[in-house]
Amino acid sequence: GNSVTQMEGPVTLSEEAFLTINCTYTATGYPSLFWYVQYPGEGLQLLLKATKADDKGSNKGFEATYRKETTSFHLEKGSVQVSDSAVYFCALINANTGNQFYFGTGTSLTVIP
Amino acid sequence: GAGVSQSPSNKVTEKGKDVELRCDPISGHTALYWYRQSLGQGLEFLIYFQGNSAPDKSGLPSDRFSAERTGGSVSTLTIQRTQQEDSAVYLCASSLASHPTNGYTFGSGTRLTVV
């Protein structure tokens, strides 16, 4: 079946620190991979996506590379800001098996000045 | 509308009462999804609509849960005889296609508290 596993939080970093949030997946075929972000009091927003192996998604300084050999889609940012404090969700959709997204449990990030 | 709108934003109800949660998707989005977000858990898929029909209801947790969509637009999620374990944030999302590789657009959710 399809599933997503992401690193447990919460994660607390100082401003300008390097961020990595690990995400691995299980799926048959070739899923599309996503990172969503949920800022306090808001709904989920699409942060970035990659639809095939070796694709790199990027947005707002965040990057993630679709690695089929390691079934991973780790989220990285070189220098976090206080405004990046949010919950981050890794997700996949697999057109071979249906139309629903499968989400990880979310990783809470707090960036302190 | 400009985004996915959900109402109410917060709902406190007594155990055993019925509740209705509303979702107004982005105009023109044919696909609509309901998810549930419980504390410490990921997002749990509930149901998917394509137009007014629901080809995938596999995530509805019990027969107390039902949903409908009318006019290919507004959807209502109904929970009958609410239980405390139903307390969660209920999220609605919509997309243009039934295989949304461009991602969903989510509403801000309805926080349901059953006391």
Side-chain angles (χ1 to χ4, degrees):
Chain A
N2 301 302
S3 67
V4 174
T5 303
Q6 62 182 103
M7 65 185 282
E8 301 263 341
V11 174
T12 302
L13 294 174
S14 297
E15 206 165 21
E16 299 184 3
F18 184 85
L19 168 71
T20 301
I21 301 178
N22 289 338
C23 171
T24 57
Y25 69 89
T26 301
T28 55
Y30 300 92
S32 296
L33 304 174
F34 301 78
W35 278 98
Y36 276 83
V37 58
Q38 187 176 31
Y39 297 104
E42 299 185 15
L44 276 77
Q45 302 173 27
L46 178 63
L47 179 60
L48 54 85
K49 68 183 177 97
T51 57
K52 61 183 189 296
D54 300 324
D55 268 3
K56 178 186 284 188
S58 61
N59 186 24
K60 299 182 181 179
F62 291 88
E63 293 184 341
T65 301
Y66 188 145
R67 300 285 188 203
K68 188 159 180 66
E69 64 276 13
T70 53
T71 61
S72 65
F73 194 55
H74 305 320
L75 183 68
E76 296 182 336
K77 186 174 186 181
S79 176
V80 293
Q81 305 301 311
V82 172
S83 56
D84 295 326
S85 298
V87 181
Y88 293 82
F89 293 88
C90 187
L92 73 83
I93 189 165
N94 190 344
N96 292 332
T97 58
N99 54 321
Q100 63 163 292
F101 272 79
Y102 295 83
F103 287 88
T105 52
T107 302
S108 175
L109 170 67
T110 300
V111 180
I112 53 176
Chain B
V4 177
S5 177
Q6 291 187 247
S7 61
S9 55
N10 279 286
K11 175 72 176 179
V12 179
T13 190
E14 291 182 353
K15 178 181 171 181
K17 300 283 190 185
D18 297 352
V19 295
E20 284 191 353
L21 311 180
R22 176 188 167 106
C23 173
D24 201 343
I26 291 174
S27 178
H29 278 193
T30 57
L32 185 147
Y33 312 81
W34 285 97
Y35 281 79
R36 179 166 70 175
Q37 184 178 17
S38 303
L39 188 63
Q41 311 253 345
L43 276 74
E44 176 187 7
F45 170 78
L46 298 178
I47 187 170
Y48 153 64
F49 285 93
Q50 179 61 33
N52 290 337
S53 65
D56 190 349
K57 309 178 184 181
S58 61
L60 294 178
S62 75
D63 59 7
R64 296 187 295 106
F65 287 72
S66 63
E68 64 175 14
R69 188 178 185 195
T70 55
S73 180
V74 172
S75 176
T76 303
L77 177 69
T78 301
I79 309 173
Q80 296 178 307
R81 305 182 301 283
T82 52
Q83 304 295 313
Q84 288 185 327
E85 61 263 28
D86 300 334
S87 297
V89 177
Y90 289 82
L91 292 168
C92 176
S94 69
S95 69
L96 273 171
S98 59
H99 289 292
T101 54
N102 285 329
Y104 300 161
T105 301
F106 280 89
S108 297
T110 294
R111 181 175 298 278
L112 175 66
T113 304
V114 182
V115 297

